[in-house]
Amino acid sequence: MSAAVDGLMDPLDRRLVLATQAGLPLVARPYHQLAEQLGVSPEEVMERLARMLDSGVIRRIGAVPNHYAIGYTANGMSVWDVPEERIDELGAVVGALDFVTHCYHRPRKLPEWPYTLFAMVHGSSRAEVLVKVEQIAELLGADCRAYDVLFSTRILKKTGLRIGA
């Protein structure tokens, strides 16, 4: 059974990616349904997905909730100027907070843009988001040289890279 090697996919890997790129089936046992659809065992589906994750062919398997539908109507991307040499450590701490849904490193563009750490925070109001952002600022302490919050003004369609059939 060959699978993802050096970024290449065999035909079954490709069919599996095509079958899942718009989302997993919304059933109790999605890997079993995919296995039936592809004519393989559920174990093979899970092994192939794990191997593609490990090799970097796919980046993640995760839920993408509609935050507005579940009551989070205020969405703020907090941006942080923190020391570059501590970015991984600080990012791991911020990313572990239960109210942070995305946390990542981006290059700064001085002098206009000093921020390198980005963390998405959701809340039912802007005030709630700002309270959570203050918690991050307290957590970062002296490593926080500056920060800002960029609030969403509209919903953007969230989709990743897609491969064609």
Side-chain angles (χ1 to χ4, degrees), residues 25-60:
L26 298 176
V27 297
R29 300 179 79 176
Y31 299 117
H32 288 72
Q33 182 171 322
L34 286 166
E36 185 176 318
Q37 177 184 336
L38 298 171
V40 298
S41 71
E43 293 74 26
E44 181 156 1
V45 166
M46 290 182 263
E47 287 170 11
R48 283 177 176 268
L49 287 171
R51 192 171 21 233
M52 286 189 280
L53 279 168
D54 290 344
S55 69
V57 170
I58 57 177
R59 290 190 322 178
R60 69 181 184 93

Short mmCIF file of all heavy atoms in Angstrom, two decimals, residues 25-60:
data_model
loop_
_atom_site.label_atom_id
_atom_site.label_comp_id
_atom_site.label_asym_id
_atom_site.label_seq_id
_atom_site.Cartn_x
_atom_site.Cartn_y
_atom_site.Cartn_z
N PRO A 25 -17.89 13.83 6.00
CA PRO A 25 -19.34 13.60 6.05
C PRO A 25 -19.87 13.85 7.46
O PRO A 25 -19.22 13.49 8.45
CB PRO A 25 -19.49 12.12 5.68
CG PRO A 25 -18.19 11.73 5.03
CD PRO A 25 -17.14 12.64 5.60
N LEU A 26 -21.01 14.49 7.56
CA LEU A 26 -21.60 14.80 8.87
C LEU A 26 -22.45 13.63 9.35
O LEU A 26 -23.68 13.67 9.38
CB LEU A 26 -22.43 16.09 8.78
CG LEU A 26 -21.63 17.34 8.41
CD1 LEU A 26 -22.56 18.54 8.26
CD2 LEU A 26 -20.54 17.61 9.43
N VAL A 27 -21.75 12.55 9.69
CA VAL A 27 -22.38 11.33 10.19
C VAL A 27 -21.60 10.89 11.42
O VAL A 27 -20.49 11.38 11.69
CB VAL A 27 -22.38 10.21 9.12
CG1 VAL A 27 -23.22 10.63 7.91
CG2 VAL A 27 -20.97 9.85 8.68
N ALA A 28 -22.16 9.92 12.16
CA ALA A 28 -21.51 9.45 13.38
C ALA A 28 -20.14 8.84 13.12
O ALA A 28 -19.23 8.96 13.94
CB ALA A 28 -22.41 8.43 14.09
N ARG A 29 -19.95 8.17 11.98
CA ARG A 29 -18.69 7.51 11.69
C ARG A 29 -18.19 7.92 10.29
O ARG A 29 -18.29 7.16 9.34
CB ARG A 29 -18.87 6.00 11.79
CG ARG A 29 -19.33 5.60 13.21
CD ARG A 29 -19.55 4.14 13.34
NE ARG A 29 -18.23 3.51 13.50
CZ ARG A 29 -18.06 2.22 13.72
NH1 ARG A 29 -19.09 1.42 13.79
NH2 ARG A 29 -16.85 1.73 13.85
N PRO A 30 -17.67 9.15 10.19
CA PRO A 30 -17.30 9.67 8.87
C PRO A 30 -16.22 8.85 8.16
O PRO A 30 -16.27 8.70 6.94
CB PRO A 30 -16.82 11.09 9.15
CG PRO A 30 -16.46 11.10 10.60
CD PRO A 30 -17.37 10.10 11.25
N TYR A 31 -15.26 8.30 8.89
CA TYR A 31 -14.20 7.53 8.23
C TYR A 31 -14.75 6.22 7.67
O TYR A 31 -14.27 5.75 6.64
CB TYR A 31 -13.04 7.27 9.19
CG TYR A 31 -12.40 8.56 9.66
CD1 TYR A 31 -12.42 8.94 11.00
CD2 TYR A 31 -11.79 9.43 8.76
CE1 TYR A 31 -11.85 10.12 11.42
CE2 TYR A 31 -11.22 10.62 9.17
CZ TYR A 31 -11.25 10.96 10.50
OH TYR A 31 -10.69 12.14 10.92
N HIS A 32 -15.75 5.67 8.31
CA HIS A 32 -16.38 4.45 7.80
C HIS A 32 -17.16 4.75 6.52
O HIS A 32 -17.12 3.96 5.57
CB HIS A 32 -17.29 3.84 8.87
CG HIS A 32 -16.52 3.21 9.98
ND1 HIS A 32 -15.85 3.95 10.93
CD2 HIS A 32 -16.32 1.91 10.30
CE1 HIS A 32 -15.26 3.14 11.78
NE2 HIS A 32 -15.52 1.89 11.43
N GLN A 33 -17.85 5.90 6.51
CA GLN A 33 -18.58 6.27 5.30
C GLN A 33 -17.61 6.52 4.14
O GLN A 33 -17.86 6.09 3.01
CB GLN A 33 -19.45 7.50 5.53
CG GLN A 33 -20.27 7.86 4.29
CD GLN A 33 -21.30 8.94 4.58
OE1 GLN A 33 -21.90 8.96 5.63
NE2 GLN A 33 -21.48 9.84 3.63
N LEU A 34 -16.51 7.20 4.41
CA LEU A 34 -15.50 7.43 3.36
C LEU A 34 -14.94 6.10 2.87
O LEU A 34 -14.74 5.91 1.67
CB LEU A 34 -14.36 8.30 3.90
CG LEU A 34 -14.68 9.76 4.09
CD1 LEU A 34 -13.60 10.44 4.92
CD2 LEU A 34 -14.84 10.46 2.75
N ALA A 35 -14.68 5.18 3.78
CA ALA A 35 -14.14 3.87 3.41
C ALA A 35 -15.09 3.15 2.47
O ALA A 35 -14.66 2.59 1.45
CB ALA A 35 -13.88 3.04 4.66
N GLU A 36 -16.37 3.19 2.80
CA GLU A 36 -17.36 2.54 1.95
C GLU A 36 -17.39 3.20 0.57
O GLU A 36 -17.42 2.52 -0.47
CB GLU A 36 -18.74 2.61 2.60
CG GLU A 36 -19.81 1.86 1.85
CD GLU A 36 -21.13 1.89 2.59
OE1 GLU A 36 -21.15 1.73 3.83
OE2 GLU A 36 -22.16 2.07 1.92
N GLN A 37 -17.36 4.52 0.55
CA GLN A 37 -17.39 5.27 -0.70
C GLN A 37 -16.17 4.94 -1.58
O GLN A 37 -16.28 4.84 -2.80
CB GLN A 37 -17.41 6.77 -0.37
CG GLN A 37 -17.36 7.70 -1.55
CD GLN A 37 -17.28 9.17 -1.08
OE1 GLN A 37 -17.68 9.52 0.01
NE2 GLN A 37 -16.75 10.01 -1.94
N LEU A 38 -15.00 4.76 -0.94
CA LEU A 38 -13.75 4.53 -1.68
C LEU A 38 -13.44 3.04 -1.88
O LEU A 38 -12.49 2.71 -2.60
CB LEU A 38 -12.59 5.21 -0.95
CG LEU A 38 -12.69 6.72 -0.83
CD1 LEU A 38 -11.61 7.26 0.08
CD2 LEU A 38 -12.62 7.38 -2.20
N GLY A 39 -14.20 2.17 -1.23
CA GLY A 39 -13.97 0.73 -1.39
C GLY A 39 -12.75 0.21 -0.65
O GLY A 39 -12.07 -0.71 -1.12
N VAL A 40 -12.46 0.82 0.51
CA VAL A 40 -11.35 0.37 1.34
C VAL A 40 -11.83 0.25 2.79
O VAL A 40 -12.97 0.59 3.09
CB VAL A 40 -10.15 1.35 1.26
CG1 VAL A 40 -9.60 1.42 -0.16
CG2 VAL A 40 -10.51 2.73 1.77
N SER A 41 -10.96 -0.19 3.68
CA SER A 41 -11.34 -0.31 5.08
C SER A 41 -11.26 1.04 5.79
O SER A 41 -10.48 1.91 5.37
CB SER A 41 -10.42 -1.31 5.79
OG SER A 41 -9.12 -0.74 5.93
N PRO A 42 -12.03 1.20 6.86
CA PRO A 42 -11.92 2.44 7.64
C PRO A 42 -10.50 2.63 8.18
O PRO A 42 -10.01 3.77 8.24
CB PRO A 42 -12.91 2.24 8.79
CG PRO A 42 -13.88 1.23 8.28
CD PRO A 42 -13.11 0.34 7.36
N GLU A 43 -9.84 1.55 8.53
CA GLU A 43 -8.47 1.64 9.03
C GLU A 43 -7.53 2.23 7.97
O GLU A 43 -6.65 3.03 8.27
CB GLU A 43 -7.96 0.27 9.49
CG GLU A 43 -8.68 -0.29 10.72
CD GLU A 43 -10.10 -0.79 10.43
OE1 GLU A 43 -10.39 -1.18 9.28
OE2 GLU A 43 -10.92 -0.77 11.37
N GLU A 44 -7.74 1.82 6.71
CA GLU A 44 -6.89 2.36 5.65
C GLU A 44 -7.15 3.85 5.45
O GLU A 44 -6.21 4.62 5.24
CB GLU A 44 -7.08 1.61 4.33
CG GLU A 44 -6.19 2.18 3.25
CD GLU A 44 -5.86 1.23 2.12
OE1 GLU A 44 -6.35 0.09 2.12
OE2 GLU A 44 -5.11 1.66 1.24
N VAL A 45 -8.40 4.27 5.53
CA VAL A 45 -8.72 5.70 5.43
C VAL A 45 -7.97 6.46 6.52
O VAL A 45 -7.29 7.46 6.25
CB VAL A 45 -10.24 5.94 5.53
CG1 VAL A 45 -10.55 7.43 5.76
CG2 VAL A 45 -10.95 5.44 4.29
N MET A 46 -8.06 5.98 7.76
CA MET A 46 -7.41 6.68 8.88
C MET A 46 -5.89 6.64 8.75
O MET A 46 -5.21 7.64 9.02
CB MET A 46 -7.88 6.08 10.20
CG MET A 46 -9.35 6.41 10.49
SD MET A 46 -9.92 5.77 12.07
CE MET A 46 -10.70 4.25 11.53
N GLU A 47 -5.33 5.50 8.32
CA GLU A 47 -3.87 5.40 8.15
C GLU A 47 -3.39 6.36 7.06
O GLU A 47 -2.37 7.02 7.23
CB GLU A 47 -3.48 3.97 7.78
CG GLU A 47 -3.58 2.99 8.92
CD GLU A 47 -3.43 1.54 8.47
OE1 GLU A 47 -3.04 1.29 7.31
OE2 GLU A 47 -3.71 0.66 9.30
N ARG A 48 -4.11 6.43 5.96
CA ARG A 48 -3.69 7.30 4.87
C ARG A 48 -3.78 8.77 5.27
O ARG A 48 -2.89 9.56 4.97
CB ARG A 48 -4.51 7.03 3.61
CG ARG A 48 -4.07 5.77 2.89
CD ARG A 48 -4.96 5.46 1.68
NE ARG A 48 -4.43 4.31 0.97
CZ ARG A 48 -3.57 4.39 -0.05
NH1 ARG A 48 -3.16 5.57 -0.48
NH2 ARG A 48 -3.13 3.31 -0.63
N LEU A 49 -4.87 9.14 5.95
CA LEU A 49 -4.98 10.53 6.40
C LEU A 49 -3.86 10.86 7.38
O LEU A 49 -3.25 11.94 7.30
CB LEU A 49 -6.35 10.78 7.03
CG LEU A 49 -7.52 10.84 6.05
CD1 LEU A 49 -8.85 10.88 6.80
CD2 LEU A 49 -7.40 12.03 5.11
N ALA A 50 -3.57 9.96 8.31
CA ALA A 50 -2.48 10.19 9.28
C ALA A 50 -1.15 10.33 8.56
O ALA A 50 -0.34 11.22 8.88
CB ALA A 50 -2.43 9.05 10.29
N ARG A 51 -0.90 9.49 7.58
CA ARG A 51 0.36 9.54 6.84
C ARG A 51 0.47 10.85 6.05
O ARG A 51 1.53 11.47 6.00
CB ARG A 51 0.48 8.34 5.92
CG ARG A 51 1.85 8.15 5.34
CD ARG A 51 2.02 6.84 4.60
NE ARG A 51 0.75 6.26 4.19
CZ ARG A 51 0.36 5.01 4.48
NH1 ARG A 51 1.13 4.19 5.10
NH2 ARG A 51 -0.81 4.57 4.09
N MET A 52 -0.65 11.27 5.43
CA MET A 52 -0.61 12.53 4.68
C MET A 52 -0.41 13.73 5.61
O MET A 52 0.26 14.69 5.25
CB MET A 52 -1.87 12.69 3.81
CG MET A 52 -1.85 11.78 2.59
SD MET A 52 -3.18 12.12 1.41
CE MET A 52 -4.56 11.29 2.18
N LEU A 53 -0.97 13.66 6.82
CA LEU A 53 -0.73 14.71 7.81
C LEU A 53 0.75 14.72 8.21
O LEU A 53 1.39 15.78 8.23
CB LEU A 53 -1.59 14.49 9.06
CG LEU A 53 -3.03 14.96 8.99
CD1 LEU A 53 -3.82 14.41 10.17
CD2 LEU A 53 -3.10 16.47 8.98
N ASP A 54 1.28 13.56 8.53
CA ASP A 54 2.69 13.46 8.96
C ASP A 54 3.66 13.94 7.89
O ASP A 54 4.68 14.55 8.19
CB ASP A 54 3.04 12.01 9.34
CG ASP A 54 2.37 11.57 10.64
OD1 ASP A 54 1.89 12.44 11.40
OD2 ASP A 54 2.32 10.36 10.88
N SER A 55 3.34 13.67 6.63
CA SER A 55 4.25 14.04 5.54
C SER A 55 4.04 15.47 5.05
O SER A 55 4.82 15.97 4.25
CB SER A 55 4.09 13.07 4.36
OG SER A 55 2.83 13.26 3.74
N GLY A 56 2.96 16.11 5.51
CA GLY A 56 2.70 17.48 5.09
C GLY A 56 1.88 17.62 3.82
O GLY A 56 1.65 18.74 3.35
N VAL A 57 1.44 16.49 3.25
CA VAL A 57 0.59 16.56 2.05
C VAL A 57 -0.70 17.29 2.40
O VAL A 57 -1.19 18.11 1.62
CB VAL A 57 0.32 15.16 1.47
CG1 VAL A 57 -0.75 15.21 0.39
CG2 VAL A 57 1.60 14.57 0.92
N ILE A 58 -1.27 17.01 3.58
CA ILE A 58 -2.39 17.79 4.10
C ILE A 58 -1.93 18.41 5.41
O ILE A 58 -1.10 17.84 6.11
CB ILE A 58 -3.69 16.96 4.27
CG1 ILE A 58 -3.48 15.76 5.18
CG2 ILE A 58 -4.22 16.52 2.92
CD1 ILE A 58 -4.74 14.96 5.45
N ARG A 59 -2.45 19.59 5.71
CA ARG A 59 -1.97 20.31 6.89
C ARG A 59 -2.75 20.01 8.15
O ARG A 59 -2.20 20.03 9.24
CB ARG A 59 -2.00 21.82 6.66
CG ARG A 59 -0.96 22.26 5.66
CD ARG A 59 -0.82 23.75 5.61
NE ARG A 59 -2.12 24.41 5.74
CZ ARG A 59 -2.28 25.70 5.77
NH1 ARG A 59 -1.25 26.50 5.69
NH2 ARG A 59 -3.48 26.23 5.87
N ARG A 60 -4.05 19.80 8.01
CA ARG A 60 -4.83 19.54 9.22
C ARG A 60 -6.17 18.94 8.88
O ARG A 60 -6.65 19.04 7.75
CB ARG A 60 -5.03 20.82 10.04
CG ARG A 60 -5.93 21.84 9.39
CD ARG A 60 -6.05 23.08 10.26
NE ARG A 60 -6.97 24.01 9.69
CZ ARG A 60 -8.27 24.08 10.00
NH1 ARG A 60 -8.76 23.26 10.89
NH2 ARG A 60 -9.05 24.96 9.43
#
